[in-house]
Amino acid sequence: MFKNTITNLGRIREVAEVLLRYGFEDAVTTTALRRLVPNRNRQTWQHGNQPVFEMSRWERVRMVIEELGPTFIKLAQVLSNRADLLPAELVAEFEKLQSNVPPFPVADAKRIIEAEIGKPLNAVFSEFEDVPLGSASIGQVHKARLLDGTDVVVKVQRPTAREKITTDLGLLRELVRLTAGYLRKHGLSNPQDIVEAFERSMMLELDYSSEARAMEQFRKLYADYTTFYVPKPFREMSTSKVLVIEFVSGCKITDKEQLLRWNLDPATVAETGMDIYLTQIFEFGIFHADPHPGNVLVRPDGTVVLIDFGMVGRLTKQQKYAFAGVFICMGQQDARGMALNFRRLALTSDIRDMRAFEGDLQQLIDDFSGLDVKEMSMSALAERLQNVIYKYKLQVPGSVFLILRALVILEGIGKVLHPAFNTFEFVRPYGRRLVLEQYSVSNVTTELQYTGQQLLALFYTLPTDLRQIVRKLSKGDLRVQAQLGGYAPLLRTAERLVSRTIITLLAVAFLLFSGLSLLGNYPAAQMPYYRGLPAITWWGLGATGFWLMVLFILTIRREKP
C-alpha cells in the first residue's frame, strides 16, 4: 500500500489540485489527500471567466473528470450506465463526456500488427490505409484489403494502452482508498467494488479476442436470419491487440434520405431493428450493448448490420423473466407484482419499507397509465425506473441499465424513421411470450429438478455438518467469528494518539539523557565542550528539539481546517 502511494504520489497530488481548482476543497481537506497539497498550490476557483460555484456540483464533477484524462472519462462513461449507483443529475452529466483522443502514428500501428501476427504487413494485406477511420483511448481502426481481395477493418491497440490503463487503475484504487469516507458520505456506498468492476471491464476490453468470440457467437445465433448480419472476424489473423474484421458497407440507420434512395421503407427498417434487438434480449439473453446510430448500419437490400461488439450485455434466464415481469406487472397496474419482480431481479436488496417501495411503484404506474400510447416515452420511463432503483439501493445487474439505455437510443432512432414508433408496442408481445415460456411444462420441470437436486444435496450434507457441530460443542472447540464495523475513525484516532505518544516519549527520553549527561566528568581531551556544556548534552538537546518539532508539525497540520 505504501509503495503504491509513493509510486503515484505525483499523479495523486495533481488529482488533488484539479479537485481544488473546481471547488471540491472538502474532498481534499477532509481526506488523506490534504497532506499532499501545500496551501500555496490551491488554485483560484474560476473556470474561464466564470466562478465554478455558479455551476452545479455535478457539472464540476464532469469537468474534473474531463481534465483527468481518458481512463477517468472511460470510468465515468461506464458509470453513466449505472443509475443504481449515482444520482440522475450526475448520470446526465457523465453522458455528455466524449473521449476525444488523437490517433497514434501509423508506423507504430504497422509495427504492432507485424509483431502480433508474426508476418510482414505485405504478406497479409495488399492494401493498408494510413489514415485511420477512427481512434479511441484504447486503439484505432484502419481500413485494409486482404490478399484475396476481401475488404477488412483492422483494430490496433495503442502501444502503451495496457501500461497506461494499469497505472491509472492503480491510481484509482489508491484515490478511492484515500477518499473512501468522503465518497460514502456523498452516497457512493461501495466505491471499492465499483473500481474492481471497472478494472474487470477494462481488462476485458483490452483483450480483442473477447470481442472476436462475441461476434462469432452472434453469427451462430443469427445464422438463419436474412434481415440481420454480423461481420465476420478473422480469428487466424487476430490477437489480443489486433482484430481483423470483415468490412461492411452501408449507411447509418438514421440516414433516412439514403434509405429512400434505395427504395427502403424507413418505418420497416425501424421495426426490423427493434425486433432484432428485442430478440437478443428476450430470446437469446445476449445483446449488443451500444446500438448508437454509428454502430447500426443498413445495406441497400435492407439488411441491418451491427458493428463494434466491444460492449456486450448478458442476462440469465431468471433475470429475463424478472425483467419482463416488471413491464408486464406495470401494464397490469400491479405495483406489488412489480416490487416482487424487482426483488427477483436484484442481486441483493435490503428494502426496509416495502410499503413505501410499492407506493412509489404505484405512483409510477398511475403517472404512465393515464397517458395515451403516443404520449408514452421510453426515456421518461427509464429515468423513473432508475430513480426508484437508486432511491432504494437495489443492486441490479449492470445489464439492466444497458438494456434501458439501449431501448432509449433505439426509440430515438425509431422516431427519426417512424413518426408513430412506440417502443412499448414492440416490448409487449415479447413479455407475453416470456410469461408463457416461464410457466411452460418444460421450464417448470427443469426448475423442479433443480430444486430437487438442491434439497438432495442439503439432505446429504446435513447429517455430516450436524455431527461436526456436536463434536466441536462436546470438546468446547466451537468458535464464532464476529466482525464489528464502524470503528475505522476511532482506530485512526487511536493510531494518531499512539504515534504522538511515542514521539513525546522519545523527546522526553532525549531530554532526560541530556540532563543526566551533565552529571558526567569528561576529560577535555575526550569530550569537547561548547559554552560550558559537553557536546553529548548538546546532541541530546538537538534530538529533543527535533522530536518536539515533529510533534508540533503533526499537531498543526491536524488542527488546520
Side-chain angles (χ1 to χ4, degrees):
M1 185 179 297
F2 179 76
K3 180 181 177 182
N4 290 338
T5 303
I6 294 299
T7 302
N8 296 312
L9 187 60
R11 180 65 167 148
I12 292 174
R13 183 180 289 113
E14 179 186 338
V15 171
E17 291 180 4
V18 172
L19 289 170
L20 289 171
R21 189 177 306 137
Y22 288 98
F24 290 98
E25 188 182 37
D26 55 338
V28 177
T29 58
T30 62
T31 68
L33 291 175
R34 176 177 172 276
R35 301 195 299 266
L36 302 176
V37 183
N39 288 339
R40 65 178 182 274
N41 287 351
R42 299 188 180 185
Q43 304 289 331
T44 303
W45 292 342
Q46 293 280 128
H47 184 66
N49 296 322
Q50 183 182 10
V52 295
F53 281 117
E54 291 183 6
M55 307 171 190
S56 73
R57 185 178 188 84
W58 310 125
E59 286 180 296
R60 289 184 282 124
V61 171
R62 171 177 55 78
M63 289 189 286
V64 167
I65 295 294
E66 285 176 330
E67 190 156 338
L68 291 178
T71 303
F72 289 84
I73 291 174
K74 188 73 175 178
L75 172 61
Q77 289 171 336
V78 170
L79 287 176
S80 70
N81 298 318
R82 295 303 307 270
D84 58 332
L85 302 174
L86 304 178
E89 298 87 351
L90 185 55
V91 169
E93 288 297 324
F94 281 175
E95 287 175 347
K96 299 176 184 178
L97 290 168
Q98 298 293 327
S99 183
N100 298 317
V101 182
F104 60 91
V106 67
D108 291 342
K110 292 179 178 179
R111 177 179 52 78
I112 292 170
I113 294 171
E114 291 179 339
E116 287 294 310
I117 63 179
K119 296 179 182 178
L121 208 67
N122 57 16
V124 180
F125 306 107
S126 59
E127 297 179 19
F128 189 91
E129 294 187 1
D130 289 348
V131 180
L133 297 175
S135 63
S137 58
I138 291 180
Q140 63 191 36
V141 179
H142 291 263
K143 188 178 178 183
R145 179 170 292 172
L146 300 179
L147 297 179
D148 62 4
T150 304
D151 288 329
V152 295
V153 291
V154 185
K155 292 181 69 172
V156 190
Q157 196 170 111
R158 288 181 176 272
T160 59
R162 182 172 292 275
E163 292 77 8
K164 172 67 174 171
I165 289 172
T166 301
T167 301
D168 283 350
L169 287 172
L171 172 64
L172 273 172
R173 287 193 296 271
E174 192 65 20
L175 284 173
V176 165
R177 186 185 69 81
L178 293 171
T179 61
Y182 175 85
L183 295 172
R184 292 191 185 96
K185 179 181 176 182
H186 287 80
L188 206 58
S189 59
N190 55 342
Q192 289 92 348
D193 294 343
I194 293 172
V195 172
E196 288 174 7
F198 176 61
E199 183 173 1
R200 290 193 296 270
S201 172
M202 290 302 295
M203 289 299 104
L204 195 63
E205 196 166 343
L206 281 169
D207 184 6
Y208 285 169
S209 58
S210 65
E211 182 176 349
R213 289 192 296 271
M215 295 179 72
E216 288 185 336
Q217 186 174 4
F218 272 86
R219 285 176 62 83
K220 290 177 182 177
L221 292 174
Y222 287 92
D224 298 330
Y225 280 67
T226 58
T227 57
F228 179 46
Y229 185 74
V230 177
K232 175 186 175 183
F234 293 86
R235 294 291 298 276
E236 67 278 7
M237 305 176 192
S238 303
T239 68
S240 62
K241 295 183 179 180
V242 173
L243 178 58
V244 181
I245 310 169
E246 173 190 4
F247 175 79
V248 178
S249 61
C251 70
K252 287 185 179 181
I253 192 170
T254 51
D255 191 348
K256 192 173 181 178
E257 294 181 0
Q258 183 61 60
L259 295 177
L260 291 173
R261 283 197 293 268
W262 287 341
N263 295 319
L264 297 175
D265 179 16
T268 302
V269 171
E271 292 171 1
T272 301
M274 181 59 81
D275 280 331
I276 289 169
Y277 195 82
L278 293 177
T279 300
Q280 294 177 27
I281 298 171
F282 294 113
E283 186 172 338
F284 298 128
I286 176 173
F287 57 93
H288 184 287
D290 193 19
H292 67 76
N295 284 341
V296 187
L297 306 180
V298 181
R299 284 174 160 179
D301 61 357
T303 303
V304 174
V305 181
L306 284 178
I307 60 175
D308 192 355
F309 285 77
M311 188 185 297
V312 173
R314 288 177 170 81
L315 287 176
T316 66
K317 184 186 291 186
Q318 297 306 319
Q319 289 169 351
K320 285 194 304 180
Y321 296 152
F323 185 70
V326 169
F327 286 93
I328 293 167
C329 291
M330 180 181 169
Q332 296 172 344
Q333 300 188 26
D334 179 7
R336 180 167 294 181
M338 280 188 75
L340 177 62
N341 279 289
F342 260 124
R343 295 191 68 176
R344 290 173 56 198
L345 185 62
L347 303 173
T348 59
S349 62
D350 184 19
I351 301 173
R352 297 180 180 180
D353 191 345
M354 281 299 297
R355 290 185 179 180
F357 182 50
E358 291 180 14
D360 283 348
L361 292 176
Q362 186 62 57
Q363 183 63 51
L364 185 150
I365 290 171
D366 293 342
D367 291 345
F368 280 86
S369 62
L371 296 177
D372 184 80
V373 173
K374 294 181 181 179
E375 298 176 317
M376 297 184 76
S377 165
M378 190 66 216
S379 60
L381 176 60
E383 182 179 352
R384 289 288 297 275
L385 289 174
Q386 289 172 351
N387 287 340
V388 169
I389 291 170
Y390 177 73
K391 179 179 179 179
Y392 290 95
K393 303 301 179 186
L394 299 174
Q395 294 187 21
V396 300
S399 295
V400 170
F401 298 101
L402 293 177
I403 292 172
L404 292 175
R405 173 178 172 270
L407 290 176
V408 171
I409 294 173
L410 290 168
E411 182 180 62
I413 292 173
K415 288 183 177 179
V416 170
L417 302 176
H418 190 341
F421 187 87
N422 185 271
T423 307
F424 298 96
E425 292 300 316
F426 287 93
V427 174
R428 194 169 295 161
Y430 282 93
R432 286 196 293 264
R433 191 185 307 170
L434 272 181
V435 170
L436 294 175
E437 178 186 328
Q438 182 178 0
Y439 296 107
S440 65
V441 174
S442 60
N443 192 64
V444 171
T445 302
T446 302
E447 289 297 316
L448 288 174
Q449 288 176 346
Y450 176 76
T451 304
Q453 290 172 355
Q454 294 295 100
L455 288 173
L456 283 174
L458 175 63
F459 290 142
Y460 279 129
T461 60
L462 187 59
T464 303
D465 293 340
L466 287 174
R467 193 179 300 115
Q468 290 178 352
I469 292 172
V470 171
R471 186 180 297 117
K472 289 186 177 182
L473 276 172
S474 63
K475 293 181 178 180
D477 194 30
L478 186 64
R479 300 178 183 178
V480 178
Q481 184 177 0
Q483 185 174 359
L484 301 177
Y487 287 93
L490 182 61
L491 291 174
R492 285 196 294 270
T493 302
E495 183 180 353
R496 286 195 298 269
L497 289 173
V498 169
S499 63
R500 293 181 190 183
T501 301
I502 292 172
I503 292 172
T504 303
L505 290 174
L506 284 170
V508 170
F510 278 106
L511 184 61
L512 290 173
F513 172 78
S514 300
L516 292 172
S517 67
L518 293 173
L519 302 177
N521 185 14
Y522 310 104
Q526 297 179 2
M527 177 66 67
Y529 279 72
Y530 301 99
R531 296 183 180 273
L533 296 178
I536 193 171
T537 303
W538 285 110
W539 295 339
L541 291 173
T544 303
F546 170 78
W547 287 114
L548 287 175
M549 184 179 296
V550 171
L551 183 63
F552 176 75
I553 291 172
L554 290 177
T555 304
I556 291 299
R557 292 181 68 179
R558 178 61 187 167
E559 290 176 354
K560 281 185 180 180

